[in-house]
Amino acid sequence: SPMRDRRAQSLPWKQRIRLKSAAELDKMAASGRALAEVFRAVPALVRAGATTREVDAAIERMIRDAGCMPSFKGYNGFPAASCISINEEVVHGIPSDRQLRDGDIVGVDVGLIKDGYHSDSAETFPVGEIDEEAERLLQVTRECLERAIAQVKAGNRISDIGVAVETHARAQGFSVVETLVGHGIGREMHEDPQVPNYRSYSTPDPVMEPGLVIAIEPMINAGVKRVVTAEDQWTVRTADGRLSAHFEHTVAVTADGPWVLTRR
Ligand code: MG
Ligand code: MG
């Protein structure tokens, strides 16, 4: 999603993390289910010949038809309901008249608000037949997200997530984007804490506790980790032009472990 700048820090983190009550978690789960329902329709939209604007329009229609609001639209001036990022684009691609082509990989990132609560999810889809490296990148990035989710339990630290993602990505010969991170989520799309996808020695490193809800979103590059922002001031691309993939779920910490609110 159109992410906040990591440097914005003022109050001590403990005061800024907003743990959710059971009633709030139920509302967040309903928000997550609505978003998962939207994502169930996306694979059929992401096909050769479709423009990313058409994909976005269908997504926005589904969100509104479900009685929800597209949270990205207008966020810091972002013009669409979804970010659609193709091949070497990492995140924050702006839907346009560009047509998808056989062999593309297409990251679709969507957020919505239902009954005052946000959910945020992303998935990278293949268009037709993709090459072996692209296939492996999608698989490994998906595995990075699942390994991160497996770290979501009371008593673990936020840094356990980044360690899990980075360890797996590197073992597969890929790199982890560091300039953009996951985030707490709730009444706001971006809440504390920040959730890095890499081994971070920075403090604070919050301990997870029941009621914490976070969006976990590994961005994994086939080549170097460095990224650049395009002239449109939104689209983030890999610096070396090689492929990037992005998967994201909104996940609650419960006494019984992770509750993936956006699972489709
Ligand atoms: Mg997102
Ligand atoms: Mg996000």
Side-chain angles (χ1 to χ4, degrees):
S1 59
M3 274 175 276
R4 175 194 54 183
D5 194 297
R6 293 199 60 217
R7 288 162 294 203
Q9 294 269 353
S10 51
L11 292 169
W13 61 269
K14 194 74 182 171
Q15 295 172 32
R16 288 182 288 126
I17 289 178
R18 281 172 267 178
L19 298 179
K20 278 70 183 178
S21 66
E24 287 183 293
L25 285 183
D26 284 343
K27 289 186 175 184
M28 294 205 69
S31 178
R33 278 195 300 276
L35 185 52
E37 187 64 36
V38 169
F39 266 92
R40 268 180 221 116
V42 174
L45 299 171
V46 177
R47 52 180 176 73
T51 69
T52 54
R53 201 191 304 282
E54 289 165 352
V55 174
D56 177 69
I59 287 169
E60 179 168 357
R61 193 173 317 116
M62 288 186 284
I63 291 171
R64 294 192 189 277
D65 286 351
C68 305
M69 291 289 292
S71 52
F72 295 4
K73 200 160 195 179
Y75 185 90
N76 290 340
F78 191 78
S82 59
C83 298
I84 303 183
S85 309
I86 304 170
N87 297 335
E88 80 286 357
E89 296 172 352
V90 178
V91 286
H92 301 174
I94 300 174
S96 73
D97 292 325
R98 178 170 173 182
Q99 285 184 317
L100 301 178
R101 296 164 60 164
D102 203 52
D104 286 342
I105 60 170
V106 183
V108 178
D109 188 354
V110 186
L112 62 74
I113 311 168
K114 180 180 172 64
D115 200 11
Y117 287 87
H118 287 258
S119 51
D120 189 2
S121 187
E123 187 165 340
T124 302
F125 300 94
V127 180
E129 286 294 305
I130 60 174
D131 70 26
E132 200 178 316
E133 180 178 70
E135 193 76 64
R136 203 165 63 83
L137 182 65
L138 294 195
Q139 176 66 22
V140 169
T141 309
R142 193 188 290 276
E143 289 165 359
C144 283
L145 175 56
E146 293 305 325
R147 285 172 183 234
I149 290 168
Q151 293 299 318
V152 173
K153 47 186 143 186
N156 274 9
R157 287 186 179 273
I158 289 294
S159 62
D160 292 319
I161 290 169
V163 168
V165 171
E166 185 175 57
T167 301
H168 188 54
R170 282 192 172 186
Q172 302 299 317
F174 296 142
S175 67
V176 176
V177 174
E178 296 183 358
T179 56
L180 297 154
V181 297
H183 48 94
I185 182 168
R187 286 194 162 277
E188 307 287 339
M189 177 158 62
H190 295 135
E191 297 185 357
D192 282 298
Q194 297 177 353
V195 183
N197 295 302
Y198 54 95
R199 189 184 303 269
S200 171
Y201 297 101
S202 68
T203 53
D205 185 8
V207 174
M208 293 184 236
E209 46 190 310
L212 176 68
V213 186
I214 51 178
I216 305 176
E217 48 181 317
M219 288 152 261
I220 307 298
N221 294 350
V224 299
K225 70 182 179 186
R226 199 166 75 83
V227 297
V228 292
T229 302
E231 317 74 59
D232 65 18
Q233 300 301 312
W234 278 108
T235 312
V236 178
R237 292 199 176 93
T238 57
D240 61 5
R242 290 181 66 187
L243 296 176
S244 186
H246 178 213
F247 286 79
E248 177 179 24
H249 275 308
T250 297
V251 184
V253 182
T254 77
D256 305 319
W259 182 11
V260 184
L261 304 181
T262 47
R263 185 79 78 192
R264 74 174 170 93

